[in-house]
Amino acid sequence: MPFCKQACHYCDFHFNTNLSRMEEMVEKIKLELTLRKDYLKRNEIETVYFGGGTPSLLKPIMIESILSTIQKEYNGIWKEVTLEANPDDLSKENLMAWKSLGIDRLSLGIQSFNPKVLKFYNRAHSAEESKDAIRKSREMGFDKFSLDLIYGFPHKDHSIWENDLKEALSLDPGHISSYALTVEPKTALGTWEKKGQFQSASEDFVAEQFEFLQNATENAGYIQYEISNFGKPEQFALHNTNYWKGIPYLGIGPSAHSFDGKNRGANPSNNSLYIKSLSENKIPFKSEDLKDEDLLNEYILTGLRTIWGIDLKMIQEKFHVNLKEEKKSILDQMNTEGWLLWKDNTLSLSKKGKLLADSISSALFT
C-alpha cells in the first residue's frame, strides 16, 4: 500500500504522500487480485501481509474489502494475517476494527525510542506513542507483535542503541526486526551525505551494534532465526519465513514482487502507471526468467541468512552441484575462521559468520 503521511529521511521504498488516490488504489488492488488468481497455481493461501508504505492509513472498510476479495478468489486457511502499522495510527477504534477483520499480527515501525533520532528520521510518532501503542494493542486482544528498529545511527558511543534495545525488550514484543541504517542515493540522507551534511557511522561501529543486538536478544530468550529477525519460540513471522525458504508468493500493488517457484517479477514502482494499466484490464507485471544457476544462488543467499541453512544433499539432487567439492578450499578457509556450522547435510552460519553473510554467500555462488 504505497502511501505515507510523510517521507522518512532514510526510506527509499516506493510510496506517495498524496493520499487522494487511496480509494482508487484499493479498487485496483482488488482487481489485480482477481486477474492474477491463477499465478500461484495451487491457489492455497497460508499467510496475508499488508506492507507498504503505511497500510495502517487504510480505512478499516478498505482492508475488509481487500480481505473479502482474497477470501472469494483464493483457497486456503490463513495461519497469519499481518498489518504493518505506525504507532500513531493505533487508535482503539482501529485496533478493534483490525481485530474483528482477522488481523492477528502487527508489525510496528518503531525505529527508535530516542526523541532526537525520531526527529532526525522524520518519524511521525513519539517514543511514548510507541509504548502506548503496544499497551493499547494488548488491551484490545493482540498478542503477536514485531517491532522494527534501526541500528547504526552515528553517535559518539553506543548509548542510543543500547537504550533503544533495552526499551524494546522491556516491552516483551516476542519479535524484533532490526536493520542497519543505510544511506540510499535518492533519500534526504543521501542528499545530506553528498553535500557533506551527514556522515554515516563506520563499519566497525555498526558491526559492534549488530553484535550487541545478537547478545541482548539471545539473553532475553530470542532466537536469531534470520539475519535481521529475532523471535521467541512460536513467534517467528510465518509470512517472511516463507520468503526465505523459497515458497511461492504473490505480491499485489505498485512495486510489489512475486515468485512462482521458478520465475520472479515485479509491478511498476509508479502509482499512476499501475492504476492506468489496471483501468485497461491489463496486469502491469513484468516477469524475469530465472535459470537453474540463478535459483541455486538465490537459495544459497536466502538459506544462509536463516538458522535452517542450506541442504547440500538437495542442492546435489536438484541442481547437480556438489558444493562441498566445488567450493572445498573456500569452505575449508571459512571453517578455519569459525564462520560455519555443519549438521548432517546442512550448512548454516555461526554467530560470527552472520556478520559476513552476504560475502560468504557470494563466495559460494556457482
Side-chain angles (χ1 to χ4, degrees):
M1 184 50 58
F3 297 103
C4 291
K5 288 178 189 172
Q6 59 195 51
C8 297
H9 289 157
Y10 54 81
C11 182
D12 75 334
F13 287 160
H14 171 63
F15 67 92
N16 196 305
T17 53
N18 179 356
L19 310 185
S20 63
R21 302 189 80 178
M22 196 184 299
E23 196 166 331
E24 188 179 12
M25 180 65 71
V26 169
E27 291 307 309
K28 295 301 178 278
I29 279 174
K30 287 156 59 180
L31 178 57
E32 188 190 359
L33 277 164
T34 301
L35 293 176
R36 297 184 66 194
K37 62 183 178 182
D38 296 325
Y39 179 81
L40 294 177
K41 297 174 181 66
R42 64 191 178 97
N43 212 18
E44 293 284 331
I45 300 300
E46 291 186 342
T47 60
V48 179
Y49 192 103
F50 285 85
T54 312
S56 53
L57 290 177
L58 289 172
K59 295 175 183 176
I61 194 169
M62 295 176 175
I63 297 175
E64 182 178 18
S65 68
I66 292 170
L67 290 173
S68 295
T69 302
I70 299 171
Q71 282 176 327
K72 179 185 173 186
E73 302 290 356
Y74 297 81
N75 301 315
I77 298 170
W78 302 346
K79 297 178 181 177
E80 177 186 271
V81 183
T82 303
L83 179 81
E84 286 184 358
N86 280 339
D88 43 305
D89 292 328
L90 268 67
S91 66
K92 286 194 174 181
E93 292 76 20
N94 276 344
L95 287 164
M96 189 183 300
W98 297 340
K99 188 74 177 172
S100 71
L101 294 175
I103 292 166
D104 60 0
R105 184 173 180 271
L106 298 175
S107 179
L108 304 179
I110 305 294
Q111 315 314 352
S112 177
F113 290 94
N114 184 289
K116 290 182 180 177
V117 175
L118 288 172
K119 186 176 181 182
F120 180 82
Y121 288 160
N122 199 36
R123 297 294 291 166
H125 67 274
S126 68
E128 286 308 311
E129 279 179 310
S130 292
K131 297 172 193 174
D132 194 45
I134 293 178
R135 180 187 59 77
K136 283 191 295 191
S137 300
R138 286 192 167 124
E139 284 177 3
M140 301 307 291
F142 285 92
D143 55 14
K144 285 203 288 186
F145 303 93
S146 180
L147 305 188
D148 278 5
L149 297 174
I150 296 175
Y151 61 90
F153 180 81
H155 192 57
K156 62 182 179 180
D157 56 29
H158 295 308
S159 58
I160 289 176
W161 177 233
E162 289 172 2
N163 287 333
D164 276 349
L165 210 45
K166 184 180 176 183
E167 288 280 9
L169 291 170
S170 72
L171 295 169
D172 191 26
H175 191 283
I176 290 173
S177 296
S178 192
Y179 308 90
L181 179 63
T182 305
V183 178
E184 302 292 349
K186 294 180 181 179
T187 63
L189 277 189
T191 302
W192 296 340
E193 188 174 67
K194 195 174 179 180
K195 291 180 178 178
Q197 297 169 345
F198 174 79
Q199 185 174 353
S200 300
S202 69
E203 284 187 12
D204 286 345
F205 183 88
V206 176
E208 286 166 7
Q209 296 207 341
F210 180 71
E211 290 176 312
F212 183 82
L213 167 66
Q214 287 180 305
N215 294 329
T217 49
E218 184 179 0
N219 292 337
Y222 289 71
I223 298 165
Q224 187 180 13
Y225 70 101
E226 193 271 343
I227 295 292
S228 303
N229 287 272
F230 306 77
K232 288 191 170 180
E234 309 300 321
Q235 293 272 5
F236 297 178
L238 301 180
H239 186 89
N240 301 58
T241 296
N242 286 344
Y243 288 150
W244 303 315
K245 289 187 173 182
I247 292 171
Y249 56 88
L250 172 61
I252 298 292
S255 195
H257 287 64
S258 302
F259 176 61
D260 65 3
K262 291 184 178 179
N263 301 296
R264 71 174 66 259
N267 290 341
S269 299
N270 183 305
N271 288 6
S272 296
L273 182 59
Y274 175 83
I275 288 172
K276 182 177 182 294
S277 295
L278 283 157
S279 296
E280 297 167 359
N281 245 35
K282 296 175 185 173
I283 301 171
F285 176 75
K286 288 192 177 177
S287 185
E288 173 193 356
D289 293 336
L290 299 177
K291 300 173 184 173
D292 279 355
E293 180 184 303
D294 300 321
L295 290 167
L296 173 54
N297 289 342
E298 286 198 8
Y299 173 69
I300 292 170
L301 180 69
T302 55
L304 284 179
R305 291 182 64 89
T306 72
I307 54 170
W308 302 286
I310 57 175
D311 186 334
L312 300 181
K313 186 179 179 184
M314 184 279 287
I315 288 175
Q316 188 157 8
E317 290 173 353
K318 184 175 179 180
F319 298 103
H320 311 294
V321 173
N322 188 329
L323 212 61
K324 253 185 177 179
E325 289 300 318
E326 292 192 16
K327 301 289 182 178
K328 187 177 186 305
S329 60
I330 294 172
L331 289 169
D332 286 345
Q333 183 187 345
M334 291 177 178
N335 273 326
T336 303
E337 297 288 349
W339 297 341
L340 307 177
L341 297 173
W342 299 85
K343 185 179 179 183
D344 300 326
N345 290 306
T346 303
L347 171 63
S348 58
L349 299 183
S350 67
K351 203 170 177 180
K352 195 159 73 165
K354 287 172 183 171
L355 272 166
L356 305 160
D358 288 344
S359 56
I360 291 172
S361 297
S362 61
L364 297 178
F365 284 170
T366 58

